[in-house]
Amino acid sequence: MSGIRPTGFLHLGNYFGAIRNYVKMQEEFECYFMVADLHSLTTHPDTKELKGNVHRVLAENIACGLDPDKAAFYCQSHIYETSELYLYLNMLAYKGELEKTTTFKDKVRQSPDNVNAGLLTYPVLQTADIILHRASLVPVGKDQEQHLEMARNFVKRFNHRYGDVFPEPMAFNYSQELVKVPSLDGSGKMSKSENQMATLYLADDDEMIRKKVMKAKTDAGPTEPNSEKPEYISNLFLLMKLVSSQEVIEKYEADFNTCNIRYGDMKKQLAEDMVAFIAPIREKVDGILADDAYLRQVMEKGAEKARASASETMKLVREAIGLNYF
Ligand code: AMP
């Protein structure tokens, strides 16, 4: 189970942190993937662009290979049981631990005028999303590690107080470690809303991709063989590892280690490999986005599957809590 907020264009971080895993997991597991529209209201109360963004997240995931016939692919707000479970879990979440969450503190810093209760209880709603399907694997990027730890704590508290209803959910990635796709300017991560010139979006055209990659920060190159890479250079290598061939990666690693690296050439190669990776996805998105009837059908079918699983879980939850008086 996992979700993506409809707050803008999807980017390489969403792809490698999350969607790439969805596409593989749908072949192996019973999967629930959702557009996290309720979560987006915590930071984006203006809903003028919400519908367009929801459609975009659906279309971009499908263009990346998410198959709505294999996984349940739905909108969070279509499943009312989520809100009920969120309410019960709120009674088991403490103000102190919520206030200590890194993402909450970041958001308070970014928008001091909109520190709403939804923002504070974001990890509680996220836990409700996950355990509503009694999911155990949650494909997410590294930025979500702390939220998953909180989810496990809420689950332990629920199970301890009311009986074993839920498995403990774990953050999941097919590679050994959770992924953080860095931004092109050498600081922070790629993101939907911050630092747009340092983020590669799945919707960027070829020229824009080249322009962004060529602007990435470099320096005059190492002066000692086998030097340690500065963070902005190791980030470029990390991006290369995501999209380039083994042969290309080995060539530039060797050039770096022998002080022969030409960063201009490396960035040109990276830009072309990025174009080759992103262009086929971008080209599919427009066709899917133009088909409103298809998107509606995807959402209806996804909601139907998600509701069936949610109502089963909620029967167990109400019984476990003792909300059964007949
Ligand atoms: P969000 O865009 O915050 O709704 O996140 C959707 C999914 O993308 C989550 O699983 C995140 O962990 C993942 N994600 C977002 N940005 C990155 C990034 N820069 N690197 C890796 N994963 C990311």
Side-chain angles (χ1 to χ4, degrees):
M1 197 289 150
S2 195
I4 300 186
R5 288 171 306 144
T7 48
F9 291 88
L10 300 193
H11 51 80
L12 277 194
N14 296 130
Y15 183 84
F16 287 103
I19 304 169
R20 180 175 58 167
N21 295 292
Y22 302 176
V23 172
K24 225 168 145 186
M25 287 177 91
Q26 70 189 358
E27 305 296 336
E28 271 185 72
F29 300 100
E30 181 187 334
C31 292
Y32 296 86
F33 300 125
M34 65 167 201
V35 184
D37 54 346
L38 299 177
H39 281 290
S40 74
L41 294 176
T42 61
T43 49
H44 292 64
D46 181 348
T47 54
K48 273 202 293 295
E49 292 177 2
L50 185 58
K51 183 173 173 183
N53 282 338
V54 167
H55 283 198
R56 175 160 287 282
V57 172
L58 290 166
E60 291 190 324
N61 273 278
I62 293 167
C64 288
L66 196 158
D67 182 348
D69 289 329
K70 291 184 178 154
F73 192 26
Y74 63 98
C75 257
Q76 187 184 25
S77 63
H78 290 164
I79 311 300
Y80 304 146
E81 286 86 347
T82 310
S83 306
E84 183 187 350
L85 186 53
Y86 168 55
L87 179 86
Y88 302 146
L89 291 176
N90 268 319
M91 321 300 182
L92 297 169
Y94 299 107
K95 180 169 160 276
E97 64 186 337
L98 295 169
E99 279 171 343
K100 271 192 250 153
T101 315
T102 312
T103 47
F104 174 68
K105 289 194 282 189
D106 287 347
K107 284 180 178 151
V108 170
R109 222 172 297 127
Q110 285 158 10
S111 311
D113 298 331
N114 187 24
V115 184
N116 60 76
L119 201 59
L120 181 70
T121 55
Y122 191 110
V124 185
L125 180 56
Q126 190 175 345
T127 305
D129 297 324
I130 297 166
I131 69 177
L132 191 61
H133 305 297
R134 283 168 283 155
S136 42
L137 299 181
V138 187
V140 284
K142 191 157 178 56
D143 58 315
Q144 292 294 322
E145 212 166 20
Q146 189 184 27
H147 287 178
L148 263 294
E149 199 183 316
M150 296 176 79
R152 282 193 294 280
N153 286 336
F154 299 144
V155 161
K156 278 186 211 146
R157 259 174 238 164
F158 184 98
N159 286 348
H160 181 70
R161 185 161 301 171
Y162 298 120
D164 274 339
V165 175
F166 300 111
E168 287 180 27
M170 299 293 294
F172 179 79
N173 190 290
Y174 274 99
S175 64
Q176 265 161 2
E177 285 178 13
L178 295 182
V179 174
K180 172 184 158 185
V181 178
S183 70
L184 284 163
D185 63 3
S187 66
K189 58 172 183 132
M190 288 196 185
S191 128
K192 289 204 210 87
S193 45
E194 298 150 41
N195 219 351
Q196 301 196 345
M197 279 312 285
T199 293
L200 290 167
Y201 295 96
L202 301 178
D204 280 344
D205 65 32
D206 296 352
E207 273 323 297
M208 181 57 85
I209 296 168
R210 292 190 182 104
K211 191 169 155 194
K212 287 180 178 176
V213 173
M214 293 314 288
K215 276 181 64 173
K217 181 176 172 182
T218 53
D219 53 30
T223 49
E224 298 274 325
N226 302 314
S227 312
E228 199 176 315
K229 298 184 185 94
E231 197 182 355
Y232 50 92
I233 297 296
S234 65
N235 284 349
L236 275 187
F237 275 95
L238 203 154
L239 291 170
M240 200 166 226
K241 283 191 190 125
L242 298 176
V243 294
S244 301
S245 69
Q246 195 56 30
E247 205 184 342
V248 164
I249 298 159
E250 280 168 16
K251 172 196 158 19
Y252 285 100
E253 287 281 1
D255 287 354
F256 180 88
N257 286 331
T258 51
C259 306
N260 287 317
I261 192 145
R262 292 160 62 122
Y263 287 128
D265 290 352
M266 180 182 175
K267 288 198 282 188
K268 263 189 213 147
Q269 175 75 48
L270 177 61
E272 290 318 310
D273 291 341
M274 280 293 175
V275 166
F277 178 79
I278 290 174
I281 297 176
R282 182 188 66 227
E283 282 155 17
K284 274 190 214 149
V285 170
D286 289 343
I288 303 171
L289 261 184
D291 193 345
D292 268 356
Y294 171 68
L295 291 177
R296 184 187 175 134
Q297 192 195 319
V298 167
M299 282 186 272
E300 281 174 351
K301 192 169 157 184
E304 206 177 299
K305 287 194 216 166
R307 243 176 245 131
S309 146
S311 67
E312 256 181 59
T313 301
M314 290 316 293
K315 261 191 235 145
L316 297 176
V317 168
R318 291 181 207 114
E319 243 168 64
I321 297 180
L323 298 165
N324 48 346
Y325 312 127
F326 302 122

